[in-house]
């Protein structure tokens, strides 16, 4: 139910779980460096905090994935921690002790997966920096003051609603099932989207904690916001389609029916089968040819049976 889901997060009465909705690492990254270390990011407690956004979306996805299908992806070392202990350890944290109350059903977990993907497409969730995700930087738009974080999180969606949406869905190409390990896909998304936070800060005067937004600032941010909304919607659909494929594979395997894995190349397998089939068929045809010209011994089924039958006592041949 999209109407119910639209306000799902606001209806929750559980304690704040903000750590899941933001990227954090030690030390925190800066623009020009990129998240993680040297262009790579892993869920290891350092390059990405154990309970940060990137780890949360990857682990929530894996709860719904099919193990046999996950093994078909290229191997990934994204998780450098005991994955099996993730959720139990998470619930032991003081400010996440009641997190399980949000995950009482698979429906709740899928809703949170969609929320996490939405958070990934809020650029300010990626960069803590000097302004604490934009909370300590004031912007003034149309005579009203907001924190930069609140302006992006709350005011932009109010100012530019769907009935006045200028985003062009044609800018995105048709998506396909994951060819990489899903965790690597999420890491790629994170690296790409974190750069958007730097674009936002680059449009503001450096060294100021209060900035009056120009018409051009608002126009450019609207364009970026609408593009990210479209991209987030596309990726939520892609993610749910991916999980549906996992469910189909799991059901198929239980019923003895193998299904095509998206990263397996049908052309490559066809060539492999042809390379195996050609010499086999040629040898078989050569054998038939020799047999036809009586250059190979002929054995009937009855003859083979007689040769293989054990001798009976008292009937030994002289």
């Amino acid at each position: 139910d999209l109407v119910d889901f639209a306000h799902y997060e606001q209806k929750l009465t559980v304690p704040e779980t903000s750590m899941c909705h933001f990227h954090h690492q030690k030390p925190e990254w800066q623009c020009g460096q990129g998240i993680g270390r040297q262009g790579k990011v892993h869920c290891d407690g350092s390059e990405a905090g154990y309970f940060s956004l990137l780890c949360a979306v990857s682990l929530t996805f894996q709860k719904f994935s099919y193990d046999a299908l996950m093994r078909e992806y290229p191997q990934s070392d994204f998780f450098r921690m005991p994955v099996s202990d993730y959720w139990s350890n998470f619930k032991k944290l003081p400010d996440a002790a009641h997190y399980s109350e949000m995950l009482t059903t698979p429906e709740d977990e899928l809703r949170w997966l969609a929320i996490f993907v939405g958070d990934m497409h809020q650029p300010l969730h990626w960069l803590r920096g000097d302004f604490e995700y934009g909370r300590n930087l004031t912007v003034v738009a149309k005579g009203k003051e907001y924190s930069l974080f609140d302006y992006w999180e709350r005011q932009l969606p109010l100012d530019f609603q769907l009935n006045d949406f200028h985003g062009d869905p044609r800018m995105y190409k048709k998506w396909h099932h994951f060819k990489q390990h899903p965790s690597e896909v999420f890491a790629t998304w994170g690296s790409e989207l974190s750069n958007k936070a730097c674009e936002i800060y680059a449009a503001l005067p450096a060294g100021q904690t209060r900035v009056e937004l120009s018409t051009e600032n608002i126009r450019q941010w609207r364009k970026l916001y609408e593009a990210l909304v479209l991209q987030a919607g596309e990726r939520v659909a892609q993610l749910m389609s991916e999980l549906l494929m996992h469910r189909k594979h799991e059901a198929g395997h239980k019923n003895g029916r193998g299904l095509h894995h998206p990263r397996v190349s049908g052309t490559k397998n066809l060539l492999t089968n042809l390379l195996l089939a050609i010499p086999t068929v040629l040898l078989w045809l050569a054998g038939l040819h020799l047999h036809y010209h009586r250059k190979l011994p002929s054995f009937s089924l009855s003859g083979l049976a007689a040769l293989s039958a054990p001798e009976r006592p008292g009937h030994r041949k002289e």
Side-chain angles (χ1 to χ4, degrees), residues 140-182:
V140 182
K142 299 177 181 178
K144 295 183 179 180
E145 289 189 354
Y146 312 89
S147 72
L148 178 63
F149 178 83
D150 284 339
Y151 185 76
W152 265 87
E153 191 85 1
R154 298 181 175 88
Q155 195 57 39
L156 272 176
L158 291 176
D159 287 347
F160 308 120
Q161 299 183 28
L162 291 177
N163 60 358
D164 189 31
F165 200 78
H166 293 175
D168 185 359
R170 293 174 298 178
M171 67 185 292
Y172 295 108
K173 298 179 181 178
K174 182 180 179 181
W175 48 264
H176 302 281
H177 286 295
F178 296 161
K179 298 297 180 67
Q180 294 177 286
H181 191 284

Side-chain angles (χ1 to χ4, degrees), residues 152 203 215-225:
W152 265 87
T215 303
E216 182 61 18
N217 285 142
I218 296 174
R219 188 187 70 81
Q220 289 293 336
W221 286 359
R222 173 179 184 171
K223 183 179 179 181
L224 177 59
Y225 160 75

Side-chain angles (χ1 to χ4, degrees), residues 25 38 45 88 91 94-95 110 131 136 169 175 193-195 198 209-210 217 221 252 258 266 276 296 298 317-318:
Q25 64 179 71
Q38 299 178 344
S88 58
K91 293 169 187 176
D95 56 349
L110 285 172
F131 298 111
N136 298 335
W175 48 264
L193 293 164
S194 59
N195 290 329
C198 296
T209 58
R210 186 180 185 278
N217 285 142
W221 286 359
L276 293 172
L296 286 179
S298 176
K317 294 181 180 178
E318 298 297 335

Side-chain angles (χ1 to χ4, degrees), residues 6-55:
H7 305 287
Y8 173 75
E9 193 173 4
Q10 286 76 12
K11 293 177 183 177
L12 295 172
T13 58
V14 296
E16 180 65 31
T17 56
S18 61
M19 67 174 67
C20 289
H21 300 281
F22 296 85
H23 175 75
H24 44 89
Q25 64 179 71
K26 296 178 183 179
E28 294 293 339
W29 71 284
Q30 302 293 328
C31 289
Q33 298 174 341
I35 60 173
R37 299 281 185 277
Q38 299 178 344
K40 296 288 185 179
V41 60
H42 300 89
C43 185
D44 62 355
S46 176
E47 295 176 16
Y50 281 155
F51 310 111
S52 63
L53 175 58
L54 204 50
C55 297

Side-chain angles (χ1 to χ4, degrees), residues 173-310:
K173 298 179 181 178
K174 182 180 179 181
W175 48 264
H176 302 281
H177 286 295
F178 296 161
K179 298 297 180 67
Q180 294 177 286
H181 191 284
S183 296
E184 297 296 337
V185 174
F186 300 141
T188 300
W189 291 359
S191 297
E192 165 202 318
L193 293 164
S194 59
N195 290 329
K196 303 298 183 184
C198 296
E199 291 181 20
I200 292 172
Y201 283 109
L204 301 175
Q208 298 186 25
T209 58
R210 186 180 185 278
V211 178
E212 185 94 28
L213 295 181
S214 66
T215 303
E216 182 61 18
N217 285 142
I218 296 174
R219 188 187 70 81
Q220 289 293 336
W221 286 359
R222 173 179 184 171
K223 183 179 179 181
L224 177 59
Y225 160 75
E226 292 182 338
L228 290 171
V229 167
L230 285 173
Q231 190 174 55
E234 173 197 17
R235 286 176 170 172
V236 167
Q238 182 180 13
L239 209 57
M240 296 306 167
S241 177
E242 195 77 14
L243 287 176
L244 182 60
M245 180 190 69
H246 279 253
R247 289 300 177 92
K248 287 181 177 179
H249 274 261
E250 183 175 12
H253 286 182
K254 286 180 179 178
N255 292 286
R257 295 169 51 225
L259 300 175
H260 174 68
H261 192 286
R263 69 169 297 273
V264 175
S265 169
T267 303
K268 182 179 178 181
N269 285 345
L270 176 62
L271 292 174
T272 301
N273 290 335
L274 283 174
L275 290 174
L276 293 172
I278 289 171
T280 302
V281 171
L282 288 176
L283 287 172
W284 181 70
L285 290 174
L288 288 177
H289 176 77
L290 293 173
H291 177 68
Y292 178 77
H293 292 284
R294 301 188 181 279
K295 294 181 180 181
L296 286 179
S298 176
F299 295 100
S300 65
L301 290 177
S302 58
L304 287 174
L307 287 173
S308 61

